[in-house]
Short mmCIF file of all heavy atoms in Angstrom, two decimals:
data_model
loop_
_atom_site.label_atom_id
_atom_site.label_comp_id
_atom_site.label_asym_id
_atom_site.label_seq_id
_atom_site.Cartn_x
_atom_site.Cartn_y
_atom_site.Cartn_z
N THR A 72 -123.26 -237.45 123.17
CA THR A 72 -124.61 -236.87 123.05
C THR A 72 -124.81 -235.74 124.06
O THR A 72 -125.91 -235.24 124.20
CB THR A 72 -125.69 -237.95 123.27
OG1 THR A 72 -125.50 -238.55 124.55
CG2 THR A 72 -125.65 -239.02 122.19
N SER A 73 -123.73 -235.34 124.74
CA SER A 73 -123.85 -234.30 125.76
C SER A 73 -122.55 -233.51 125.90
O SER A 73 -121.47 -234.11 125.91
CB SER A 73 -124.20 -234.96 127.10
OG SER A 73 -123.64 -234.26 128.17
N PRO A 74 -122.64 -232.19 126.05
CA PRO A 74 -121.44 -231.39 126.28
C PRO A 74 -120.70 -231.81 127.55
O PRO A 74 -119.49 -231.67 127.65
CB PRO A 74 -121.97 -229.95 126.41
CG PRO A 74 -123.30 -229.96 125.72
CD PRO A 74 -123.86 -231.34 125.93
N ARG A 75 -121.43 -232.33 128.54
CA ARG A 75 -120.80 -232.71 129.82
C ARG A 75 -119.75 -233.81 129.63
O ARG A 75 -118.75 -233.85 130.34
CB ARG A 75 -121.85 -233.22 130.83
CG ARG A 75 -122.98 -232.30 131.07
CD ARG A 75 -122.59 -231.04 131.84
NE ARG A 75 -123.67 -230.09 131.69
CZ ARG A 75 -123.54 -228.83 131.36
NH1 ARG A 75 -122.36 -228.33 131.12
NH2 ARG A 75 -124.57 -228.03 131.24
N ALA A 76 -120.00 -234.72 128.70
CA ALA A 76 -119.04 -235.80 128.46
C ALA A 76 -117.71 -235.21 127.98
O ALA A 76 -116.63 -235.69 128.33
CB ALA A 76 -119.60 -236.79 127.45
N LEU A 77 -117.80 -234.13 127.18
CA LEU A 77 -116.57 -233.45 126.72
C LEU A 77 -115.91 -232.70 127.87
O LEU A 77 -114.67 -232.63 127.94
CB LEU A 77 -116.91 -232.46 125.60
CG LEU A 77 -116.92 -232.98 124.15
CD1 LEU A 77 -115.64 -233.71 123.80
CD2 LEU A 77 -118.08 -233.87 123.85
N GLU A 78 -116.72 -232.17 128.78
CA GLU A 78 -116.15 -231.50 129.95
C GLU A 78 -115.33 -232.50 130.77
O GLU A 78 -114.28 -232.15 131.31
CB GLU A 78 -117.26 -230.88 130.81
CG GLU A 78 -117.80 -229.58 130.22
CD GLU A 78 -118.92 -228.99 131.06
OE1 GLU A 78 -118.89 -229.15 132.30
OE2 GLU A 78 -119.82 -228.36 130.47
N ALA A 79 -115.83 -233.73 130.86
CA ALA A 79 -115.10 -234.77 131.59
C ALA A 79 -113.73 -234.99 130.95
O ALA A 79 -112.72 -235.10 131.66
CB ALA A 79 -115.92 -236.07 131.60
N ILE A 80 -113.71 -235.03 129.61
CA ILE A 80 -112.43 -235.22 128.91
C ILE A 80 -111.51 -234.02 129.15
O ILE A 80 -110.31 -234.16 129.40
CB ILE A 80 -112.66 -235.44 127.40
CG1 ILE A 80 -113.32 -236.81 127.18
CG2 ILE A 80 -111.34 -235.35 126.62
CD1 ILE A 80 -113.67 -237.14 125.74
N LYS A 81 -112.08 -232.81 129.12
CA LYS A 81 -111.26 -231.61 129.33
C LYS A 81 -110.65 -231.59 130.74
O LYS A 81 -109.52 -231.13 130.92
CB LYS A 81 -112.11 -230.35 129.09
CG LYS A 81 -112.40 -230.13 127.61
CD LYS A 81 -113.33 -228.98 127.39
CE LYS A 81 -112.59 -227.77 126.88
NZ LYS A 81 -113.48 -226.67 126.51
N ILE A 82 -111.40 -232.11 131.72
CA ILE A 82 -110.86 -232.21 133.09
C ILE A 82 -109.67 -233.18 133.09
O ILE A 82 -108.63 -232.90 133.68
CB ILE A 82 -111.95 -232.65 134.09
CG1 ILE A 82 -113.00 -231.55 134.24
CG2 ILE A 82 -111.34 -232.99 135.45
CD1 ILE A 82 -114.27 -231.97 134.96
N CYS A 83 -109.82 -234.31 132.40
CA CYS A 83 -108.70 -235.27 132.28
C CYS A 83 -107.46 -234.60 131.69
O CYS A 83 -106.34 -234.82 132.14
CB CYS A 83 -109.09 -236.42 131.34
SG CYS A 83 -110.27 -237.57 132.02
N LEU A 84 -107.68 -233.76 130.67
CA LEU A 84 -106.56 -233.17 129.92
C LEU A 84 -105.91 -231.97 130.61
O LEU A 84 -104.97 -231.39 130.11
CB LEU A 84 -107.00 -232.79 128.50
CG LEU A 84 -107.50 -233.94 127.62
CD1 LEU A 84 -107.88 -233.44 126.24
CD2 LEU A 84 -106.48 -235.06 127.52
N LYS A 85 -106.46 -231.60 131.79
CA LYS A 85 -105.84 -230.49 132.53
C LYS A 85 -104.48 -230.91 133.09
O LYS A 85 -103.61 -230.09 133.30
CB LYS A 85 -106.77 -230.04 133.67
CG LYS A 85 -107.85 -229.09 133.20
CD LYS A 85 -108.70 -228.58 134.33
CE LYS A 85 -109.74 -227.59 133.83
NZ LYS A 85 -110.73 -227.26 134.85
N GLU A 86 -104.34 -232.21 133.35
CA GLU A 86 -103.07 -232.73 133.85
C GLU A 86 -102.04 -232.66 132.71
O GLU A 86 -102.29 -233.17 131.62
CB GLU A 86 -103.28 -234.17 134.31
CG GLU A 86 -102.28 -234.63 135.33
CD GLU A 86 -102.62 -236.02 135.84
OE1 GLU A 86 -103.71 -236.22 136.38
OE2 GLU A 86 -101.77 -236.90 135.64
N LYS A 87 -100.90 -232.06 133.00
CA LYS A 87 -99.92 -231.75 131.95
C LYS A 87 -99.48 -232.99 131.15
O LYS A 87 -99.45 -232.98 129.92
CB LYS A 87 -98.70 -231.07 132.58
CG LYS A 87 -97.80 -230.42 131.53
CD LYS A 87 -96.60 -229.76 132.18
CE LYS A 87 -95.65 -229.23 131.11
NZ LYS A 87 -94.39 -228.75 131.67
N SER A 88 -99.18 -234.07 131.85
CA SER A 88 -98.67 -235.27 131.16
C SER A 88 -99.73 -235.87 130.23
O SER A 88 -99.44 -236.31 129.12
CB SER A 88 -98.20 -236.32 132.16
OG SER A 88 -99.29 -236.71 132.98
N LYS A 89 -100.99 -235.84 130.69
CA LYS A 89 -102.09 -236.39 129.88
C LYS A 89 -102.35 -235.50 128.66
O LYS A 89 -102.62 -235.98 127.57
CB LYS A 89 -103.36 -236.53 130.72
CG LYS A 89 -103.27 -237.65 131.75
CD LYS A 89 -104.50 -237.72 132.62
CE LYS A 89 -104.38 -238.87 133.62
NZ LYS A 89 -105.46 -238.86 134.60
N LYS A 90 -102.24 -234.19 128.89
CA LYS A 90 -102.45 -233.24 127.79
C LYS A 90 -101.41 -233.46 126.70
O LYS A 90 -101.72 -233.43 125.50
CB LYS A 90 -102.37 -231.81 128.34
CG LYS A 90 -102.84 -230.76 127.36
CD LYS A 90 -102.89 -229.40 128.01
CE LYS A 90 -103.49 -228.37 127.09
NZ LYS A 90 -103.64 -227.05 127.74
N GLU A 91 -100.16 -233.66 127.11
CA GLU A 91 -99.08 -233.89 126.15
C GLU A 91 -99.29 -235.18 125.37
O GLU A 91 -99.12 -235.23 124.15
CB GLU A 91 -97.73 -233.91 126.88
CG GLU A 91 -97.23 -232.52 127.23
CD GLU A 91 -95.91 -232.53 127.96
OE1 GLU A 91 -95.30 -233.62 128.11
OE2 GLU A 91 -95.48 -231.45 128.40
N THR A 92 -99.67 -236.24 126.10
CA THR A 92 -99.93 -237.54 125.44
C THR A 92 -101.05 -237.40 124.42
O THR A 92 -100.99 -237.95 123.32
CB THR A 92 -100.32 -238.61 126.50
OG1 THR A 92 -99.34 -238.61 127.52
CG2 THR A 92 -100.44 -239.99 125.90
N TRP A 93 -102.08 -236.64 124.81
CA TRP A 93 -103.22 -236.43 123.91
C TRP A 93 -102.78 -235.68 122.66
O TRP A 93 -103.06 -236.11 121.54
CB TRP A 93 -104.32 -235.66 124.64
CG TRP A 93 -105.49 -235.31 123.76
CD1 TRP A 93 -105.73 -234.12 123.14
CD2 TRP A 93 -106.55 -236.19 123.37
NE1 TRP A 93 -106.88 -234.19 122.39
CE2 TRP A 93 -107.41 -235.45 122.51
CE3 TRP A 93 -106.87 -237.51 123.65
CZ2 TRP A 93 -108.57 -235.99 121.94
CZ3 TRP A 93 -108.03 -238.06 123.09
CH2 TRP A 93 -108.85 -237.31 122.25
N SER A 94 -102.09 -234.56 122.84
CA SER A 94 -101.76 -233.71 121.67
C SER A 94 -100.69 -234.33 120.78
O SER A 94 -100.71 -234.16 119.57
CB SER A 94 -101.36 -232.31 122.13
OG SER A 94 -100.24 -232.39 122.97
N LYS A 95 -99.77 -235.12 121.37
CA LYS A 95 -98.68 -235.68 120.57
C LYS A 95 -99.07 -236.96 119.82
O LYS A 95 -98.51 -237.24 118.76
CB LYS A 95 -97.47 -235.97 121.47
CG LYS A 95 -96.71 -234.69 121.82
CD LYS A 95 -95.53 -234.98 122.72
CE LYS A 95 -94.81 -233.69 123.11
NZ LYS A 95 -93.82 -233.93 124.17
N ALA A 96 -99.99 -237.74 120.39
CA ALA A 96 -100.28 -239.04 119.76
C ALA A 96 -101.75 -239.40 119.69
O ALA A 96 -102.28 -239.73 118.62
CB ALA A 96 -99.52 -240.14 120.51
N LEU A 97 -102.44 -239.32 120.82
CA LEU A 97 -103.80 -239.87 120.89
C LEU A 97 -104.79 -239.15 119.96
O LEU A 97 -105.61 -239.78 119.30
CB LEU A 97 -104.33 -239.83 122.33
CG LEU A 97 -103.59 -240.73 123.33
CD1 LEU A 97 -104.16 -240.54 124.72
CD2 LEU A 97 -103.69 -242.19 122.91
N LYS A 98 -104.66 -237.83 119.92
CA LYS A 98 -105.59 -237.03 119.11
C LYS A 98 -105.56 -237.49 117.65
O LYS A 98 -106.62 -237.71 117.04
CB LYS A 98 -105.22 -235.55 119.23
CG LYS A 98 -106.12 -234.60 118.48
CD LYS A 98 -105.79 -233.16 118.79
CE LYS A 98 -104.43 -232.76 118.24
NZ LYS A 98 -104.14 -231.33 118.44
N GLN A 99 -104.35 -237.66 117.11
CA GLN A 99 -104.21 -238.08 115.70
C GLN A 99 -104.79 -239.48 115.48
O GLN A 99 -105.42 -239.75 114.46
CB GLN A 99 -102.73 -238.07 115.28
CG GLN A 99 -102.14 -236.67 115.11
CD GLN A 99 -101.61 -236.10 116.43
OE1 GLN A 99 -102.08 -236.46 117.51
NE2 GLN A 99 -100.66 -235.19 116.34
N MET A 100 -104.59 -240.36 116.47
CA MET A 100 -105.08 -241.73 116.35
C MET A 100 -106.61 -241.78 116.37
O MET A 100 -107.24 -242.55 115.64
CB MET A 100 -104.48 -242.61 117.46
CG MET A 100 -102.99 -242.86 117.27
SD MET A 100 -102.21 -243.49 118.77
CE MET A 100 -102.70 -245.21 118.68
N TRP A 101 -107.21 -240.94 117.21
CA TRP A 101 -108.68 -240.89 117.25
C TRP A 101 -109.24 -240.23 115.99
O TRP A 101 -110.34 -240.55 115.55
CB TRP A 101 -109.17 -240.14 118.49
CG TRP A 101 -109.17 -240.98 119.74
CD1 TRP A 101 -108.34 -240.87 120.81
CD2 TRP A 101 -110.04 -242.09 120.03
NE1 TRP A 101 -108.63 -241.82 121.75
CE2 TRP A 101 -109.67 -242.58 121.30
CE3 TRP A 101 -111.09 -242.70 119.34
CZ2 TRP A 101 -110.32 -243.67 121.89
CZ3 TRP A 101 -111.74 -243.79 119.93
CH2 TRP A 101 -111.36 -244.26 121.19
N ASN A 102 -108.48 -239.29 115.42
CA ASN A 102 -108.99 -238.57 114.25
C ASN A 102 -109.06 -239.43 112.99
O ASN A 102 -109.70 -239.04 112.01
CB ASN A 102 -108.16 -237.30 114.00
CG ASN A 102 -108.88 -236.06 114.51
OD1 ASN A 102 -110.11 -236.04 114.56
ND2 ASN A 102 -108.13 -235.06 114.89
N ILE A 103 -108.43 -240.59 113.02
CA ILE A 103 -108.56 -241.53 111.90
C ILE A 103 -109.96 -242.18 111.95
O ILE A 103 -110.48 -242.67 110.96
CB ILE A 103 -107.47 -242.63 111.98
CG1 ILE A 103 -106.09 -241.99 111.92
CG2 ILE A 103 -107.62 -243.68 110.90
CD1 ILE A 103 -104.95 -242.90 112.35
N LYS A 104 -110.56 -242.14 113.16
CA LYS A 104 -111.86 -242.78 113.39
C LYS A 104 -112.95 -241.71 113.51
O LYS A 104 -112.66 -240.55 113.78
CB LYS A 104 -111.80 -243.59 114.71
CG LYS A 104 -110.69 -244.63 114.72
CD LYS A 104 -110.36 -245.10 116.14
CE LYS A 104 -109.10 -245.96 116.13
NZ LYS A 104 -109.35 -247.32 115.65
N PRO A 105 -114.22 -242.08 113.32
CA PRO A 105 -115.29 -241.08 113.42
C PRO A 105 -115.60 -240.66 114.86
O PRO A 105 -115.46 -241.46 115.79
CB PRO A 105 -116.50 -241.80 112.81
CG PRO A 105 -116.22 -243.25 113.00
CD PRO A 105 -114.73 -243.41 112.94
N THR A 106 -115.96 -239.40 115.03
CA THR A 106 -116.46 -238.89 116.31
C THR A 106 -117.90 -238.40 116.07
O THR A 106 -118.11 -237.36 115.43
CB THR A 106 -115.58 -237.74 116.85
OG1 THR A 106 -114.25 -238.23 117.04
CG2 THR A 106 -116.11 -237.21 118.16
N TYR A 107 -118.88 -239.16 116.54
CA TYR A 107 -120.29 -238.85 116.29
C TYR A 107 -120.85 -237.97 117.42
O TYR A 107 -120.61 -238.24 118.60
CB TYR A 107 -121.11 -240.14 116.20
CG TYR A 107 -120.70 -241.06 115.07
CD1 TYR A 107 -120.06 -242.27 115.31
CD2 TYR A 107 -120.97 -240.71 113.75
CE1 TYR A 107 -119.68 -243.11 114.27
CE2 TYR A 107 -120.60 -241.54 112.70
CZ TYR A 107 -119.96 -242.74 112.97
OH TYR A 107 -119.59 -243.57 111.93
N VAL A 108 -121.59 -236.92 117.04
CA VAL A 108 -122.12 -235.99 118.05
C VAL A 108 -123.57 -235.59 117.74
O VAL A 108 -124.01 -235.64 116.60
CB VAL A 108 -121.28 -234.69 118.14
CG1 VAL A 108 -119.84 -234.99 118.46
CG2 VAL A 108 -121.37 -233.86 116.86
N VAL A 109 -124.26 -235.14 118.80
CA VAL A 109 -125.58 -234.51 118.64
C VAL A 109 -125.42 -233.02 118.93
O VAL A 109 -124.91 -232.66 119.98
CB VAL A 109 -126.60 -235.10 119.65
CG1 VAL A 109 -127.85 -234.24 119.70
CG2 VAL A 109 -126.99 -236.51 119.26
N GLY A 110 -125.83 -232.17 118.01
CA GLY A 110 -125.94 -230.73 118.28
C GLY A 110 -124.63 -229.94 118.16
O GLY A 110 -123.53 -230.48 118.26
N LYS A 111 -124.82 -228.64 117.94
CA LYS A 111 -123.68 -227.74 117.70
C LYS A 111 -122.82 -227.54 118.95
O LYS A 111 -121.61 -227.41 118.85
CB LYS A 111 -124.19 -226.37 117.22
CG LYS A 111 -124.59 -226.37 115.76
CD LYS A 111 -124.93 -224.97 115.29
CE LYS A 111 -125.26 -224.96 113.80
NZ LYS A 111 -125.71 -223.64 113.35
N ALA A 112 -123.47 -227.46 120.12
CA ALA A 112 -122.70 -227.20 121.36
C ALA A 112 -121.71 -228.33 121.59
O ALA A 112 -120.53 -228.09 121.89
CB ALA A 112 -123.65 -227.07 122.54
N THR A 113 -122.17 -229.56 121.43
CA THR A 113 -121.28 -230.72 121.63
C THR A 113 -120.21 -230.75 120.53
O THR A 113 -119.03 -231.01 120.81
CB THR A 113 -122.11 -232.03 121.62
OG1 THR A 113 -123.16 -231.89 122.58
CG2 THR A 113 -121.27 -233.22 121.99
N ALA A 114 -120.62 -230.45 119.30
CA ALA A 114 -119.66 -230.43 118.17
C ALA A 114 -118.54 -229.43 118.41
O ALA A 114 -117.37 -229.72 118.16
CB ALA A 114 -120.39 -230.11 116.87
#
Side-chain angles (χ1 to χ4, degrees):
T72 57
S73 147
R75 306 290 165 228
L77 272 308
E78 282 179 33
I80 291 177
K81 287 175 104 174
I82 292 168
C83 288
L84 299 182
K85 277 184 178 170
E86 204 175 301
K87 194 180 175 188
S88 61
K89 289 177 179 172
K90 191 173 186 176
E91 282 179 7
T92 308
W93 176 261
S94 59
K95 284 179 182 170
L97 294 177
K98 181 173 68 175
Q99 287 86 333
M100 290 165 79
W101 279 110
N102 259 332
I103 300 165
K104 304 162 189 282
T106 299
Y107 298 110
V108 302
V109 167
K111 282 187 177 175
T113 307

